[in-house]
């Protein structure tokens, strides 16, 4: 049962994966939103990552294969009753599946649609898949991340994903 809080009564459908989206919807659940995490068959691969279980706290989950008509119909039923959808597919994927912003907002005009992608929805890098480390590399953040030996090091904190979850 969702927690009470300022977002009590708000329904969120979470189609995101990785860290930024699940962390953002975790924060919504922490503030009382009813979050349904839609996972692919077999579950969200991030569940196997150390610490990732915390990103799923306070959410209900369901496994759906959005490539199949019956599962996509179930997803649309959830979204028809939702206030918010959060997704983290590459730009154009949701449209190709028939569940992009134009299609969903036509069905549910009050829907808030949040799309998270590494390099935005437009521009020269929009189609490049990436996650935290790639974004930190392109932004130059990795150039200042050094180990004790002075050599480049992978940051201990996924700062780009964490900041993206707060947007």
């Amino acid at each position: 049962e969702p927690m009470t809080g300022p977002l009590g009564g708000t329904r969120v459908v979470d189609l995101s994966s990785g860290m930024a989206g699940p962390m953002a919807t975790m924060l919504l659940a922490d503030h009382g939103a009813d979050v349904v995490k839609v996972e692919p068959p077999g579950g969200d691969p991030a569940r196997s990552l150390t610490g990732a279980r915390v990103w799923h706290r306070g959410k209900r989950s369901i496994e759906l294969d959005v490539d199949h008509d019956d599962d996509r119909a179930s997803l649309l039923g959830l979204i028809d009753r939702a206030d918010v959808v959060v997704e983290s597919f590459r730009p154009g994927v949701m449209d190709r599946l028939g569940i992009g912003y134009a299609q969903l907002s036509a069905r549910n005009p009050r829907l808030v649609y949040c799309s998270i992608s590494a390099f935005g929805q437009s521009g020269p890098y929009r189609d490049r898949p990436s996650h935290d480390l790639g974004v930190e590399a392109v932004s130059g953040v990795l150039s200042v991340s050094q180990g004790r030996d002075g050599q480049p090091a992978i940051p201990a904190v996924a700062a780009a994903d964490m900041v993206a979850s707060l947007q």
Side-chain angles (χ1 to χ4, degrees), residues 56-162:
H56 301 293
R57 75 173 179 235
K59 303 175 191 179
R60 297 180 289 138
S61 66
I62 183 173
E63 290 185 16
L64 294 174
D65 185 344
V66 295
D67 288 326
H68 289 96
D69 292 341
D70 290 344
D71 283 2
R72 194 167 36 252
S74 295
L75 173 62
L76 288 170
L78 285 172
I79 293 171
D80 286 346
R81 296 182 308 277
D83 301 296
V84 179
V85 167
V86 178
E87 59 93 354
S88 62
F89 292 98
R90 285 171 301 167
V93 170
M94 292 284 284
D95 291 330
R96 202 166 40 255
L97 292 170
I99 51 176
Y101 174 74
Q103 297 97 333
L104 297 182
S105 64
R107 294 174 64 101
N108 182 351
R110 63 184 175 71
L111 187 67
V112 174
Y113 186 96
C114 176
S115 182
I116 301 169
S117 64
F119 300 109
Q121 300 299 308
S122 61
Y125 289 179
R126 86 178 275 262
D127 293 323
R128 290 186 177 187
S130 192
H131 53 83
D132 181 84
L133 197 56
V135 172
E136 288 190 33
V138 170
S139 71
V141 170
L142 285 183
S143 69
V144 296
S145 298
Q146 298 178 352
R148 291 183 183 172
D149 60 0
Q151 296 300 309
I154 294 174
V157 175
D161 279 351
M162 291 175 76

Side-chain angles (χ1 to χ4, degrees), residues 10-27:
T10 303
R11 292 182 175 154
V12 179
V13 175
D14 179 4
L15 292 163
S16 68
S17 61
M19 181 179 178
M23 203 168 161
T25 57
M26 173 196 73
L27 295 172

